[in-house]
Amino acid sequence: MAGPDRDFWQQRFEQKQTPWDRGVAGPQIARWIADGTLTAGLRIAVPGCGGGHDALALARAGCSVIAIDYAEAAVALTRERLAAAHATADLVQADVLEWQPDSPLDAVYEQTCWCALHPDYWTAYAAQLARWLRPGGRLLMLAMQCRRDSAAEGRIEGPPYHMDINAVRALLPTSHWQWPAPPYERVPHAMGWTELAIVLTRR
Ligand SMILES: C[S@@+](CC[C@H](N)C(=O)[O-])C[C@H]1O[C@@H](n2cnc3c(N)ncnc32)[C@H](O)[C@@H]1O
């Protein structure tokens, strides 16, 4: 397969090489709580939940969280973090390209799972996001901006893979998604890049 596989991510957690991990929840979560985008009771998935900071913050906000990751070590970390905080969430060890919810979701919090996938899988992942959400459901996306100079030669480097806004727009077309107008908030990332915070609504 192209790009990193489950063993790659499992080893990163085992070797504690997780430079993407802020050690706290992504700062956009607090902003989305403050502006009413995130509210208690939302049934929300966190694909590629990693160490679980975001899942915990969303559970604390009263959301009904489904945290998904295919690396056993990530699921274990998230489980420990939730237990230490006496918080609850559904934890699923599964491939986001295969997992399906029992019923459509209100929201998906997409933080560095898309950019962890090789672009060969982006069409399938975008289809999954559309499949998971109910009509009117929202995709809360942090689109990683990490373009390298080698892209000018057509090289694909990652993870993280640069989420070019044109590619993301093509994969989440306006026929199926309502896009807010840019400019989008730029959120600094732990690895020195930035993410674009975008709330899309599933039509
Ligand atoms: C860069 S880390 C980000 C973790 C977390 N979202 C964060 O911001 O700290 C990417 C995560 O996605 C998970 N992941 C990558 N590909 C996946 C897949 N196909 N299915 C499920 N999880 C996946 C990895 O195991 C890893 O935990």
Side-chain angles (χ1 to χ4, degrees):
M1 70 178 284
D5 60 7
R6 184 197 309 242
D7 288 346
F8 169 89
W9 293 107
Q10 175 69 17
Q11 282 169 21
R12 299 300 292 266
F13 286 102
E14 284 174 0
Q15 295 164 6
K16 302 199 188 320
Q17 289 175 6
T18 56
W20 61 82
D21 190 323
R22 290 177 162 99
V24 293
Q28 192 61 28
I29 290 181
R31 292 187 202 114
W32 277 331
I33 291 171
D35 72 10
T37 301
L38 280 167
T39 52
L42 279 182
R43 194 157 169 264
I44 187 168
V46 183
C49 64
H53 299 288
D54 301 320
L56 173 58
L58 293 167
R60 279 185 167 148
C63 296
S64 174
V65 176
I66 307 170
I68 309 148
D69 206 294
Y70 68 178
E72 190 178 355
V75 174
L77 263 180
T78 299
R79 183 176 292 112
E80 282 166 25
R81 198 172 307 286
L82 289 163
H86 305 290
T88 53
D90 286 340
L91 270 177
V92 184
Q93 185 179 347
D95 190 327
V96 295
L97 300 175
E98 293 170 3
W99 177 81
Q100 298 299 334
D102 296 341
S103 57
L105 305 173
D106 299 315
V108 174
Y109 177 76
E110 199 336 291
Q111 162 82 66
T112 53
C113 186
W114 185 314
C115 72
L117 299 170
H118 186 280
D120 280 4
Y121 303 103
W122 285 9
T123 305
Y125 186 54
Q128 283 285 75
L129 296 172
R131 222 175 270 132
W132 294 349
L133 284 167
R134 63 169 171 77
R138 281 182 295 182
L139 172 60
L140 312 185
M141 182 165 64
L142 283 309
M144 174 65 79
Q145 302 302 294
C146 56
R147 189 180 183 282
R148 288 101 167 163
D149 292 343
S150 60
E153 297 171 338
R155 296 186 196 282
I156 296 171
E157 275 189 61
Y161 297 98
H162 175 59
M163 293 174 68
D164 178 90
I165 195 68
N166 299 302
V168 176
R169 182 89 173 210
L171 291 167
L172 303 175
T174 54
S175 53
H176 291 76
W177 298 89
Q178 284 173 17
W179 279 77
Y184 306 122
E185 181 132 21
R186 301 181 74 213
V187 183
H189 188 265
M191 293 172 79
W193 291 301
T194 58
E195 298 161 331
L196 297 179
I198 313 173
V199 178
L200 291 89
T201 305
R202 175 85 169 90
R203 291 189 193 273

